[in-house]
Amino acid sequence: MSNTKPLQQHLVEQFHHYSTNELVILNNDLVRSNWGKNKTAFRTALLSTLSKRGIDLSAIISTEDGFTQIQRVPVRLSENRLIPE
């Protein structure tokens, strides 16, 4: 667990250089495959990068009883918003 934060920060810095379309493709690859124990760090960094670009993530995020859940689903980009496929 101690390696997660440095890995996430590194990934956010790297994902800054990816196009938005490349990040959507990477998200879909992550949710459809088994990337191992660091999968969560990759996806968190990816969604953080998309959010910083102003992409609306509300269609895949919900809050219930004070807990925020992010759906692990393939998405597509439509009008600056991630839509579950």
Side-chain angles (χ1 to χ4, degrees), residues 1-69:
M1 196 85 171
S2 63
N3 292 334
T4 302
K5 189 169 184 177
L7 175 60
Q8 260 180 257
Q9 183 59 40
H10 173 74
L11 292 170
V12 166
E13 291 168 7
Q14 297 306 307
F15 289 160
H16 175 73
H17 303 289
Y18 284 52
S19 72
T20 300
N21 190 50
E22 288 173 321
L23 293 173
V24 170
I25 292 168
L26 181 57
N27 173 77
N28 294 345
D29 188 32
L30 280 168
V31 299
R32 290 180 176 137
S33 64
N34 184 11
W35 275 46
K37 67 180 183 177
N38 290 322
K39 182 177 186 175
T40 301
F42 274 88
R43 188 136 189 274
T44 301
L46 186 147
L47 293 176
S48 175
T49 303
L50 287 169
S51 178
K52 287 178 183 177
R53 290 185 184 181
I55 304 298
D56 181 358
L57 308 176
S58 64
I60 63 168
I61 296 177
S62 63
T63 302
E64 294 180 27
D65 296 328
F67 292 98
T68 301
Q69 295 183 333

